[in-house]
Amino acid sequence: MKNEIVLAGKLIEIIEASRNNALRKVNEELIRMYWSVGEYLSAESKNVVFGDKYIDTIAKEIQVMFPGIKGFNRRGLYRMKQFYELYKDNPTVSPLVTQISWTNHLLIMSGCKSDEER
């Protein structure tokens, strides 16, 4: 019986490690997507003629294409744009943005006023 517990314990460690790795990879990919969306919105917002309505229109189109998707409303898209614009020129931070969750990024962006604080 003792040997079975040891084997199960090792399997549990393997399963937990793999699940944690998968969650980290998903988080990294989400952050990369938010970065890319922010980069796109930042570039496009310089070229559009109808200002704030541009992001409203995109948010509506995304909701039509992906009904029920969360985080891609007007507010979420502005946050992605802000995220990209805050870090794009920071060679120290840019490569590290995938290391923390989106929630932590939102907390940092809303709570910190300077690059040093961030």
Side-chain angles (χ1 to χ4, degrees), residues 27 31 34 79 100-110:
N27 179 67
I31 298 298
Y34 298 152
R79 286 177 169 173
I100 62 173
S101 71
W102 182 243
T103 301
N104 285 332
H105 280 296
L106 294 176
L107 291 170
I108 290 168
M109 289 189 305
S110 66

Side-chain angles (χ1 to χ4, degrees), residues 6-62:
V6 170
L7 289 175
K10 182 62 177 172
L11 289 176
I12 290 168
E13 288 177 23
I14 292 168
I15 292 166
E16 286 177 343
S18 292
R19 290 179 72 183
N20 289 335
N21 287 338
L23 290 173
R24 270 194 301 281
K25 294 294 181 188
V26 168
N27 179 67
E28 287 176 19
E29 191 57 35
L30 285 173
I31 298 298
R32 281 190 193 97
M33 178 181 61
Y34 298 152
W35 179 273
S36 296
V37 169
E39 181 178 26
Y40 177 84
L41 292 174
S42 181
E44 287 296 308
S45 66
K46 295 172 185 164
N47 301 325
V48 297
V49 293
F50 51 99
D52 286 344
K53 298 250 186 225
Y54 169 69
I55 291 196
D56 290 338
T57 302
I58 289 177
K60 288 175 187 169
E61 287 182 22
I62 290 171

